[in-house]
Amino acid sequence: MTEEVSGGVATSAPPGSLSPAVACRGITKRFPGVLANDCVDFEAAVGEVHALLGENGAGKSTLSNILTGLYREDEGELELYGEPVAFGSPRDAIDAGVGMVHQHFRLVESFTVAENVVLGEAGGEAGFRLRPRALEQRVEELGERYGVAVDPRARIWQLSVGEQQRVEILKALYREAKILILDEPTAVLTPQESESLFATLRSMAAEGRTVIFISHKLHEVAAVADRVTVLRAGKSVATVPAAGSTPRSLASLMVGREVEGPRREERAPGGGEVVLTLDGLSAPGDRGGDAVRGVSLELHAGEVLAVAGVAGNGQRELAEAITGTRPLSAGSISVAGRRLRAGDPRAAIRAGIAHVPEDRLHTAVAPSLSIASNVALKSYGGEGSLGPFLRLRRFRERARDLIGRYDVKAPGPETPARLLSGGNLQKVVLGREFAGDPKVLVAASPTRGLDVGAIETVHRYLRDAAAAGVGVLLLSEDLDEVLALADRIAVVYEGAIAGELDAASATVEEIGLLMAGGERT
């Protein structure tokens, strides 16, 4: 690779100096009160895997939405294969061969996986010639080929967040896009499956396709990308070769300061009382049968116990069963030695169980309500009310205190939750849950979709909770996160515990093998 300098930004030519498949020249996009993209220059070559990095709010999503026809740039020019283009709609981008796997899904919940994959396609398998069985078989074969298998007959509402992300990947692969943008595509894959996907992306690039890869897992960049472009505060600050980059150097470019990546802190493991006991726990799934099968675990005060597994192996149902939002089909739950009434969220809250759901925007909060109202959702009784009336001023004061304590970037307590970034929204959820002085914190994928700075903050809060004596049950597909935070690791496969490991001696390969249904060697 040869180094170049353009406009004061260090760049590197891709292998063979191939011509640009996509080029952004001085792209600027404004929203009321926000300059989302500020004269961004970006190029990805034919046959290249190009990583696009940046914090939440850096402008990655806005730039991607311009490339896929969802937004129109206010200034600048977009080129495909050397020719200027102006997309008036996403259909224009699709017709030009641009596809995207969105971080926030574009799925119809009442449709099946197969129906969502072909949604919007004209002719062929779609339209009046739709043959459901043939289509389902084709989608199933595509999923198996690329390592993102999901039941093609399942309805979207029946799937976990991770499984829904797989459907988005299948949609883009089905359309055989020449320029493919993937936003956090490996969030739900095992290390082995991620390696398989990387091999697929490299194969696609070798065929002459262009892959734009957006990820917060910085170690993945060196594994799959040729070059990396970093955005910060809406500007393109650097384009560097992936081969010469480290996670720390990339993180520093993203945030403009030195950042510590996920790392294991040596601390005395929690040896306090048993605060949560699961005894032969089974819980029904949304598609019939049990999604959780005979799970028995003990969690101690001050301990972080991670439940690791590929999305769709019962983690969501396990979290819902523990927190009372899903009934049990067998077994029992005890908190600090007292048996909990199953299927009763209020009983779980009173017993001292806090919950950070995997879908922060639609499950953890009411997005159209204010921060103050969301803070009130689990504490409107007692001091929070006067008879049938809520003490709204008190909740505003609590929200104002939470905003200050957790450094939430928001104008004030009346700000609607939907206007917050992912990291700030997660701070609100964590602050609300910690306010109840819980004995147990069930945290499901607490950093999914967050940038490196927000991940660093959330990890610190979870460590602080454990240090204060809270038993933390972490459900995560991110093995870096699991190894950085956990004292013990329980691996779940098809709803059952496949094995338990000491986090201090566990390896990514060993965990990944159990996650895929293999046996320990």
Side-chain angles (χ1 to χ4, degrees), residues 293-357:
R293 301 185 294 113
V295 170
S296 295
L297 291 172
E298 286 188 346
L299 173 66
H300 296 261
E303 179 185 36
V304 179
L305 171 60
V307 176
V310 179
N313 278 272
Q315 301 96 310
R316 175 172 62 90
E317 292 84 356
L318 177 62
E320 291 174 354
I322 294 170
T323 56
T325 57
R326 182 176 293 268
L328 304 185
S329 53
S332 64
I333 304 168
S334 299
V335 178
R338 300 186 63 177
R339 184 161 177 165
L340 184 68
R341 187 167 63 221
D344 186 342
R346 288 186 178 180
I349 293 170
R350 286 196 296 266
I353 297 178
H355 185 203
V356 179

Short mmCIF file of all heavy atoms in Angstrom, two decimals, residues 293-357:
data_model
loop_
_atom_site.label_atom_id
_atom_site.label_comp_id
_atom_site.label_asym_id
_atom_site.label_seq_id
_atom_site.Cartn_x
_atom_site.Cartn_y
_atom_site.Cartn_z
N ARG A 293 -34.22 -24.25 28.90
CA ARG A 293 -34.39 -25.65 29.25
C ARG A 293 -33.50 -26.06 30.42
O ARG A 293 -32.29 -26.21 30.28
CB ARG A 293 -34.09 -26.54 28.04
CG ARG A 293 -34.98 -26.26 26.83
CD ARG A 293 -34.74 -27.23 25.67
NE ARG A 293 -33.40 -27.08 25.10
CZ ARG A 293 -32.45 -27.99 25.17
NH1 ARG A 293 -32.65 -29.11 25.83
NH2 ARG A 293 -31.28 -27.77 24.60
N GLY A 294 -34.12 -26.17 31.60
CA GLY A 294 -33.45 -26.74 32.76
C GLY A 294 -32.22 -26.00 33.22
O GLY A 294 -31.20 -26.62 33.60
N VAL A 295 -32.28 -24.68 33.26
CA VAL A 295 -31.12 -23.87 33.66
C VAL A 295 -31.02 -23.80 35.18
O VAL A 295 -31.98 -23.40 35.86
CB VAL A 295 -31.21 -22.45 33.07
CG1 VAL A 295 -30.14 -21.54 33.67
CG2 VAL A 295 -31.07 -22.51 31.55
N SER A 296 -29.86 -24.16 35.71
CA SER A 296 -29.59 -24.04 37.14
C SER A 296 -28.31 -23.24 37.32
O SER A 296 -27.25 -23.62 36.79
CB SER A 296 -29.45 -25.42 37.80
OG SER A 296 -30.66 -26.14 37.75
N LEU A 297 -28.40 -22.11 38.02
CA LEU A 297 -27.26 -21.24 38.25
C LEU A 297 -27.38 -20.59 39.62
O LEU A 297 -28.48 -20.41 40.14
CB LEU A 297 -27.19 -20.13 37.18
CG LEU A 297 -26.85 -20.51 35.74
CD1 LEU A 297 -27.04 -19.30 34.83
CD2 LEU A 297 -25.42 -21.03 35.64
N GLU A 298 -26.23 -20.22 40.18
CA GLU A 298 -26.19 -19.41 41.39
C GLU A 298 -25.35 -18.17 41.13
O GLU A 298 -24.26 -18.26 40.54
CB GLU A 298 -25.60 -20.20 42.57
CG GLU A 298 -26.54 -21.24 43.14
CD GLU A 298 -26.00 -21.85 44.43
OE1 GLU A 298 -24.78 -21.65 44.71
OE2 GLU A 298 -26.76 -22.51 45.15
N LEU A 299 -25.84 -17.03 41.58
CA LEU A 299 -25.13 -15.75 41.45
C LEU A 299 -24.89 -15.18 42.84
O LEU A 299 -25.83 -15.09 43.64
CB LEU A 299 -25.98 -14.78 40.62
CG LEU A 299 -25.48 -13.34 40.51
CD1 LEU A 299 -24.16 -13.27 39.74
CD2 LEU A 299 -26.53 -12.45 39.84
N HIS A 300 -23.65 -14.80 43.10
CA HIS A 300 -23.27 -14.29 44.42
C HIS A 300 -23.24 -12.76 44.43
O HIS A 300 -23.04 -12.12 43.40
CB HIS A 300 -21.89 -14.82 44.82
CG HIS A 300 -21.84 -16.30 45.00
ND1 HIS A 300 -21.92 -16.90 46.24
CD2 HIS A 300 -21.73 -17.30 44.10
CE1 HIS A 300 -21.85 -18.21 46.10
NE2 HIS A 300 -21.73 -18.48 44.80
N ALA A 301 -23.43 -12.19 45.60
CA ALA A 301 -23.29 -10.74 45.77
C ALA A 301 -21.87 -10.33 45.39
O ALA A 301 -20.89 -10.98 45.76
CB ALA A 301 -23.59 -10.35 47.21
N GLY A 302 -21.75 -9.25 44.60
CA GLY A 302 -20.45 -8.76 44.20
C GLY A 302 -19.81 -9.50 43.05
O GLY A 302 -18.66 -9.24 42.69
N GLU A 303 -20.56 -10.42 42.43
CA GLU A 303 -20.03 -11.24 41.35
C GLU A 303 -20.63 -10.81 40.01
O GLU A 303 -21.79 -10.39 39.95
CB GLU A 303 -20.36 -12.71 41.60
CG GLU A 303 -19.87 -13.65 40.51
CD GLU A 303 -20.32 -15.09 40.74
OE1 GLU A 303 -21.46 -15.29 41.23
OE2 GLU A 303 -19.55 -16.00 40.41
N VAL A 304 -19.85 -10.92 38.93
CA VAL A 304 -20.37 -10.77 37.58
C VAL A 304 -20.37 -12.15 36.93
O VAL A 304 -19.31 -12.73 36.68
CB VAL A 304 -19.52 -9.79 36.74
CG1 VAL A 304 -20.10 -9.68 35.32
CG2 VAL A 304 -19.48 -8.41 37.38
N LEU A 305 -21.55 -12.67 36.71
CA LEU A 305 -21.72 -13.96 36.05
C LEU A 305 -22.25 -13.69 34.64
O LEU A 305 -23.33 -13.13 34.48
CB LEU A 305 -22.71 -14.85 36.82
CG LEU A 305 -23.16 -16.15 36.12
CD1 LEU A 305 -21.96 -17.05 35.82
CD2 LEU A 305 -24.18 -16.89 36.99
N ALA A 306 -21.46 -14.06 33.64
CA ALA A 306 -21.85 -13.81 32.25
C ALA A 306 -22.50 -15.05 31.67
O ALA A 306 -22.00 -16.17 31.85
CB ALA A 306 -20.64 -13.41 31.42
N VAL A 307 -23.61 -14.85 30.98
CA VAL A 307 -24.23 -15.91 30.18
C VAL A 307 -23.95 -15.58 28.73
O VAL A 307 -24.48 -14.61 28.19
CB VAL A 307 -25.75 -15.99 30.44
CG1 VAL A 307 -26.39 -17.04 29.54
CG2 VAL A 307 -26.02 -16.32 31.91
N ALA A 308 -23.06 -16.34 28.11
CA ALA A 308 -22.62 -16.08 26.75
C ALA A 308 -23.31 -17.05 25.79
O ALA A 308 -23.52 -18.22 26.13
CB ALA A 308 -21.11 -16.23 26.64
N GLY A 309 -23.64 -16.56 24.61
CA GLY A 309 -24.27 -17.42 23.63
C GLY A 309 -24.63 -16.63 22.38
O GLY A 309 -24.76 -15.41 22.42
N VAL A 310 -24.79 -17.34 21.28
CA VAL A 310 -25.25 -16.71 20.05
C VAL A 310 -26.70 -16.31 20.24
O VAL A 310 -27.48 -17.01 20.88
CB VAL A 310 -25.12 -17.69 18.86
CG1 VAL A 310 -25.62 -17.06 17.58
CG2 VAL A 310 -23.68 -18.13 18.70
N ALA A 311 -27.08 -15.16 19.70
CA ALA A 311 -28.46 -14.68 19.82
C ALA A 311 -29.43 -15.75 19.34
O ALA A 311 -29.19 -16.45 18.36
CB ALA A 311 -28.65 -13.40 19.00
N GLY A 312 -30.56 -15.86 20.07
CA GLY A 312 -31.57 -16.82 19.69
C GLY A 312 -31.46 -18.15 20.41
O GLY A 312 -32.20 -19.08 20.10
N ASN A 313 -30.55 -18.24 21.40
CA ASN A 313 -30.39 -19.48 22.15
C ASN A 313 -31.01 -19.40 23.54
O ASN A 313 -30.61 -20.13 24.45
CB ASN A 313 -28.92 -19.86 22.24
CG ASN A 313 -28.42 -20.58 21.00
OD1 ASN A 313 -28.52 -21.79 20.90
ND2 ASN A 313 -27.94 -19.82 20.04
N GLY A 314 -31.99 -18.51 23.70
CA GLY A 314 -32.75 -18.45 24.95
C GLY A 314 -32.37 -17.35 25.90
O GLY A 314 -32.97 -17.23 26.98
N GLN A 315 -31.40 -16.49 25.51
CA GLN A 315 -30.97 -15.45 26.44
C GLN A 315 -32.09 -14.46 26.76
O GLN A 315 -32.29 -14.08 27.92
CB GLN A 315 -29.76 -14.69 25.88
CG GLN A 315 -28.55 -15.54 25.59
CD GLN A 315 -28.48 -15.97 24.14
OE1 GLN A 315 -29.47 -16.48 23.60
NE2 GLN A 315 -27.34 -15.79 23.52
N ARG A 316 -32.80 -14.01 25.73
CA ARG A 316 -33.88 -13.04 25.96
C ARG A 316 -34.96 -13.65 26.85
O ARG A 316 -35.43 -13.01 27.80
CB ARG A 316 -34.49 -12.60 24.63
CG ARG A 316 -35.70 -11.68 24.76
CD ARG A 316 -36.13 -11.13 23.41
NE ARG A 316 -36.55 -12.17 22.49
CZ ARG A 316 -37.80 -12.63 22.38
NH1 ARG A 316 -38.75 -12.14 23.15
NH2 ARG A 316 -38.11 -13.57 21.51
N GLU A 317 -35.33 -14.89 26.57
CA GLU A 317 -36.37 -15.54 27.36
C GLU A 317 -35.91 -15.77 28.80
O GLU A 317 -36.70 -15.67 29.75
CB GLU A 317 -36.76 -16.87 26.70
CG GLU A 317 -37.47 -16.72 25.37
CD GLU A 317 -36.53 -16.56 24.17
OE1 GLU A 317 -35.30 -16.48 24.39
OE2 GLU A 317 -37.02 -16.52 23.03
N LEU A 318 -34.62 -16.08 28.98
CA LEU A 318 -34.08 -16.26 30.33
C LEU A 318 -34.17 -14.97 31.12
O LEU A 318 -34.61 -14.96 32.29
CB LEU A 318 -32.63 -16.75 30.25
CG LEU A 318 -31.90 -16.91 31.59
CD1 LEU A 318 -32.57 -17.96 32.45
CD2 LEU A 318 -30.42 -17.28 31.35
N ALA A 319 -33.75 -13.85 30.51
CA ALA A 319 -33.82 -12.56 31.19
C ALA A 319 -35.26 -12.20 31.54
O ALA A 319 -35.54 -11.71 32.65
CB ALA A 319 -33.20 -11.47 30.31
N GLU A 320 -36.19 -12.45 30.62
CA GLU A 320 -37.59 -12.13 30.87
C GLU A 320 -38.19 -13.01 31.96
O GLU A 320 -39.02 -12.56 32.76
CB GLU A 320 -38.39 -12.25 29.58
CG GLU A 320 -38.04 -11.18 28.55
CD GLU A 320 -38.72 -11.40 27.21
OE1 GLU A 320 -39.38 -12.44 27.04
OE2 GLU A 320 -38.57 -10.53 26.32
N ALA A 321 -37.77 -14.29 32.01
CA ALA A 321 -38.27 -15.17 33.06
C ALA A 321 -37.80 -14.71 34.43
O ALA A 321 -38.58 -14.68 35.41
CB ALA A 321 -37.81 -16.61 32.79
N ILE A 322 -36.53 -14.33 34.53
CA ILE A 322 -35.98 -13.89 35.83
C ILE A 322 -36.65 -12.60 36.29
O ILE A 322 -36.92 -12.42 37.48
CB ILE A 322 -34.46 -13.69 35.72
CG1 ILE A 322 -33.78 -15.03 35.45
CG2 ILE A 322 -33.89 -13.05 36.99
CD1 ILE A 322 -32.30 -14.91 35.10
N THR A 323 -36.94 -11.70 35.35
CA THR A 323 -37.51 -10.39 35.71
C THR A 323 -39.03 -10.39 35.73
O THR A 323 -39.65 -9.34 35.88
CB THR A 323 -37.00 -9.31 34.75
OG1 THR A 323 -37.30 -9.69 33.40
CG2 THR A 323 -35.50 -9.14 34.89
N GLY A 324 -39.66 -11.56 35.56
CA GLY A 324 -41.11 -11.68 35.75
C GLY A 324 -41.97 -11.35 34.55
O GLY A 324 -43.19 -11.34 34.67
N THR A 325 -41.38 -11.09 33.39
CA THR A 325 -42.18 -10.74 32.22
C THR A 325 -42.46 -11.94 31.32
O THR A 325 -43.09 -11.78 30.27
CB THR A 325 -41.50 -9.63 31.40
OG1 THR A 325 -40.18 -10.07 31.02
CG2 THR A 325 -41.40 -8.35 32.20
N ARG A 326 -42.01 -13.11 31.72
CA ARG A 326 -42.31 -14.34 30.99
C ARG A 326 -42.59 -15.44 32.02
O ARG A 326 -41.84 -15.59 32.99
CB ARG A 326 -41.13 -14.74 30.09
CG ARG A 326 -41.37 -15.99 29.24
CD ARG A 326 -40.20 -16.25 28.30
NE ARG A 326 -40.12 -15.19 27.29
CZ ARG A 326 -40.70 -15.25 26.11
NH1 ARG A 326 -41.42 -16.31 25.77
NH2 ARG A 326 -40.58 -14.25 25.25
N PRO A 327 -43.65 -16.24 31.83
CA PRO A 327 -43.96 -17.30 32.79
C PRO A 327 -42.95 -18.43 32.73
O PRO A 327 -42.18 -18.55 31.77
CB PRO A 327 -45.35 -17.78 32.34
CG PRO A 327 -45.37 -17.49 30.87
CD PRO A 327 -44.61 -16.19 30.70
N LEU A 328 -42.93 -19.27 33.76
CA LEU A 328 -42.08 -20.45 33.78
C LEU A 328 -42.90 -21.68 33.39
O LEU A 328 -44.09 -21.74 33.65
CB LEU A 328 -41.48 -20.67 35.17
CG LEU A 328 -40.68 -19.53 35.80
CD1 LEU A 328 -40.08 -20.01 37.12
CD2 LEU A 328 -39.60 -19.04 34.87
N SER A 329 -42.23 -22.64 32.76
CA SER A 329 -42.87 -23.93 32.53
C SER A 329 -42.36 -24.98 33.51
O SER A 329 -42.97 -26.03 33.67
CB SER A 329 -42.63 -24.39 31.08
OG SER A 329 -41.25 -24.38 30.76
N ALA A 330 -41.24 -24.68 34.19
CA ALA A 330 -40.70 -25.57 35.21
C ALA A 330 -39.64 -24.81 36.00
O ALA A 330 -39.11 -23.80 35.55
CB ALA A 330 -40.11 -26.83 34.59
N GLY A 331 -39.33 -25.33 37.18
CA GLY A 331 -38.25 -24.76 37.98
C GLY A 331 -38.69 -23.59 38.85
O GLY A 331 -39.88 -23.26 38.95
N SER A 332 -37.69 -22.96 39.47
CA SER A 332 -37.99 -21.87 40.40
C SER A 332 -36.86 -20.85 40.40
O SER A 332 -35.74 -21.12 39.96
CB SER A 332 -38.18 -22.41 41.82
OG SER A 332 -36.97 -22.98 42.30
N ILE A 333 -37.20 -19.65 40.91
CA ILE A 333 -36.25 -18.54 41.05
C ILE A 333 -36.30 -18.09 42.50
O ILE A 333 -37.38 -17.87 43.06
CB ILE A 333 -36.63 -17.37 40.13
CG1 ILE A 333 -36.72 -17.82 38.67
CG2 ILE A 333 -35.65 -16.21 40.29
CD1 ILE A 333 -37.35 -16.79 37.76
N SER A 334 -35.11 -17.92 43.10
CA SER A 334 -35.04 -17.41 44.47
C SER A 334 -34.10 -16.22 44.52
O SER A 334 -33.05 -16.23 43.86
CB SER A 334 -34.56 -18.49 45.44
OG SER A 334 -35.44 -19.60 45.46
N VAL A 335 -34.47 -15.21 45.30
CA VAL A 335 -33.64 -14.03 45.51
C VAL A 335 -33.29 -13.96 46.98
O VAL A 335 -34.19 -13.88 47.83
CB VAL A 335 -34.35 -12.74 45.06
CG1 VAL A 335 -33.47 -11.52 45.34
CG2 VAL A 335 -34.70 -12.81 43.58
N ALA A 336 -31.99 -14.01 47.28
CA ALA A 336 -31.50 -14.00 48.66
C ALA A 336 -32.21 -15.05 49.51
O ALA A 336 -32.58 -14.81 50.65
CB ALA A 336 -31.67 -12.62 49.27
N GLY A 337 -32.42 -16.23 48.93
CA GLY A 337 -32.99 -17.35 49.66
C GLY A 337 -34.50 -17.40 49.70
O GLY A 337 -35.06 -18.38 50.18
N ARG A 338 -35.17 -16.39 49.18
CA ARG A 338 -36.64 -16.37 49.19
C ARG A 338 -37.17 -16.64 47.79
O ARG A 338 -36.78 -15.97 46.82
CB ARG A 338 -37.15 -15.02 49.70
CG ARG A 338 -36.69 -14.69 51.12
CD ARG A 338 -37.31 -13.43 51.63
NE ARG A 338 -38.76 -13.54 51.73
CZ ARG A 338 -39.56 -12.58 52.21
NH1 ARG A 338 -39.01 -11.43 52.61
NH2 ARG A 338 -40.85 -12.76 52.28
N ARG A 339 -38.07 -17.61 47.70
CA ARG A 339 -38.59 -17.99 46.39
C ARG A 339 -39.45 -16.86 45.81
O ARG A 339 -40.25 -16.25 46.51
CB ARG A 339 -39.42 -19.27 46.51
CG ARG A 339 -39.91 -19.80 45.17
CD ARG A 339 -40.31 -21.24 45.26
NE ARG A 339 -40.86 -21.74 44.01
CZ ARG A 339 -41.02 -23.02 43.73
NH1 ARG A 339 -40.65 -23.94 44.61
NH2 ARG A 339 -41.53 -23.40 42.57
N LEU A 340 -39.25 -16.61 44.53
CA LEU A 340 -39.93 -15.51 43.85
C LEU A 340 -41.17 -16.04 43.14
O LEU A 340 -41.14 -17.12 42.55
CB LEU A 340 -38.97 -14.89 42.83
CG LEU A 340 -39.42 -13.65 42.06
CD1 LEU A 340 -39.54 -12.46 42.99
CD2 LEU A 340 -38.42 -13.34 40.95
N ARG A 341 -42.25 -15.27 43.21
CA ARG A 341 -43.45 -15.63 42.45
C ARG A 341 -43.18 -15.40 40.97
O ARG A 341 -42.89 -14.29 40.54
CB ARG A 341 -44.65 -14.80 42.91
CG ARG A 341 -45.96 -15.26 42.28
CD ARG A 341 -47.15 -14.65 42.96
NE ARG A 341 -47.17 -13.20 42.82
CZ ARG A 341 -47.50 -12.35 43.78
NH1 ARG A 341 -47.80 -12.81 44.98
NH2 ARG A 341 -47.52 -11.05 43.56
N ALA A 342 -43.29 -16.45 40.19
CA ALA A 342 -42.94 -16.39 38.77
C ALA A 342 -43.98 -15.61 37.98
O ALA A 342 -45.16 -15.56 38.33
CB ALA A 342 -42.81 -17.80 38.21
N GLY A 343 -43.51 -14.97 36.90
CA GLY A 343 -44.41 -14.27 35.99
C GLY A 343 -45.02 -13.01 36.56
O GLY A 343 -46.05 -12.54 36.07
N ASP A 344 -44.36 -12.41 37.56
CA ASP A 344 -44.89 -11.21 38.21
C ASP A 344 -43.79 -10.15 38.26
O ASP A 344 -42.92 -10.19 39.14
CB ASP A 344 -45.38 -11.54 39.62
CG ASP A 344 -46.08 -10.37 40.30
OD1 ASP A 344 -45.91 -9.21 39.85
OD2 ASP A 344 -46.79 -10.60 41.29
N PRO A 345 -43.79 -9.19 37.32
CA PRO A 345 -42.73 -8.18 37.31
C PRO A 345 -42.65 -7.37 38.59
O PRO A 345 -41.55 -7.01 39.03
CB PRO A 345 -43.10 -7.29 36.10
CG PRO A 345 -43.99 -8.13 35.26
CD PRO A 345 -44.72 -9.03 36.20
N ARG A 346 -43.79 -7.05 39.20
CA ARG A 346 -43.77 -6.27 40.43
C ARG A 346 -43.08 -7.04 41.55
O ARG A 346 -42.34 -6.46 42.36
CB ARG A 346 -45.19 -5.90 40.84
CG ARG A 346 -45.82 -4.84 39.95
CD ARG A 346 -47.16 -4.42 40.50
NE ARG A 346 -47.77 -3.37 39.68
CZ ARG A 346 -48.94 -2.82 39.94
NH1 ARG A 346 -49.65 -3.21 41.00
NH2 ARG A 346 -49.41 -1.86 39.15
N ALA A 347 -43.34 -8.34 41.62
CA ALA A 347 -42.68 -9.16 42.64
C ALA A 347 -41.18 -9.16 42.44
O ALA A 347 -40.40 -9.10 43.40
CB ALA A 347 -43.23 -10.58 42.61
N ALA A 348 -40.74 -9.22 41.17
CA ALA A 348 -39.30 -9.19 40.87
C ALA A 348 -38.69 -7.86 41.29
O ALA A 348 -37.60 -7.83 41.88
CB ALA A 348 -39.07 -9.44 39.38
N ILE A 349 -39.38 -6.76 41.01
CA ILE A 349 -38.87 -5.44 41.40
C ILE A 349 -38.79 -5.31 42.91
O ILE A 349 -37.79 -4.85 43.47
CB ILE A 349 -39.77 -4.33 40.80
CG1 ILE A 349 -39.66 -4.32 39.27
CG2 ILE A 349 -39.38 -2.96 41.37
CD1 ILE A 349 -40.68 -3.44 38.59
N ARG A 350 -39.85 -5.76 43.60
CA ARG A 350 -39.86 -5.68 45.07
C ARG A 350 -38.76 -6.55 45.68
O ARG A 350 -38.21 -6.22 46.74
CB ARG A 350 -41.23 -6.08 45.61
CG ARG A 350 -42.32 -5.04 45.39
CD ARG A 350 -43.53 -5.34 46.27
NE ARG A 350 -44.15 -6.61 45.89
CZ ARG A 350 -45.17 -6.73 45.04
NH1 ARG A 350 -45.66 -5.64 44.45
NH2 ARG A 350 -45.68 -7.91 44.76
N ALA A 351 -38.44 -7.67 45.02
CA ALA A 351 -37.40 -8.56 45.54
C ALA A 351 -36.00 -8.00 45.33
O ALA A 351 -35.04 -8.52 45.89
CB ALA A 351 -37.52 -9.93 44.89
N GLY A 352 -35.87 -6.96 44.50
CA GLY A 352 -34.57 -6.33 44.29
C GLY A 352 -33.90 -6.71 42.99
O GLY A 352 -32.68 -6.64 42.87
N ILE A 353 -34.69 -7.08 41.97
CA ILE A 353 -34.14 -7.41 40.66
C ILE A 353 -34.29 -6.20 39.74
O ILE A 353 -35.40 -5.71 39.51
CB ILE A 353 -34.84 -8.63 40.02
CG1 ILE A 353 -34.62 -9.88 40.88
CG2 ILE A 353 -34.33 -8.86 38.60
CD1 ILE A 353 -35.31 -11.12 40.35
N ALA A 354 -33.18 -5.72 39.22
CA ALA A 354 -33.17 -4.63 38.22
C ALA A 354 -32.90 -5.25 36.86
O ALA A 354 -32.27 -6.30 36.74
CB ALA A 354 -32.09 -3.61 38.57
N HIS A 355 -33.37 -4.55 35.80
CA HIS A 355 -33.31 -5.15 34.46
C HIS A 355 -32.90 -4.10 33.44
O HIS A 355 -33.52 -3.04 33.34
CB HIS A 355 -34.70 -5.72 34.10
CG HIS A 355 -34.73 -6.47 32.81
ND1 HIS A 355 -35.89 -6.66 32.09
CD2 HIS A 355 -33.74 -7.08 32.10
CE1 HIS A 355 -35.62 -7.36 31.00
NE2 HIS A 355 -34.33 -7.62 30.98
N VAL A 356 -31.88 -4.41 32.66
CA VAL A 356 -31.48 -3.61 31.50
C VAL A 356 -31.75 -4.47 30.28
O VAL A 356 -30.96 -5.35 29.94
CB VAL A 356 -30.00 -3.21 31.56
CG1 VAL A 356 -29.60 -2.40 30.33
CG2 VAL A 356 -29.71 -2.42 32.83
N PRO A 357 -32.89 -4.28 29.59
CA PRO A 357 -33.24 -5.15 28.45
C PRO A 357 -32.33 -4.94 27.26
O PRO A 357 -31.66 -3.90 27.13
CB PRO A 357 -34.69 -4.73 28.12
CG PRO A 357 -35.17 -3.93 29.29
CD PRO A 357 -33.94 -3.30 29.87
#
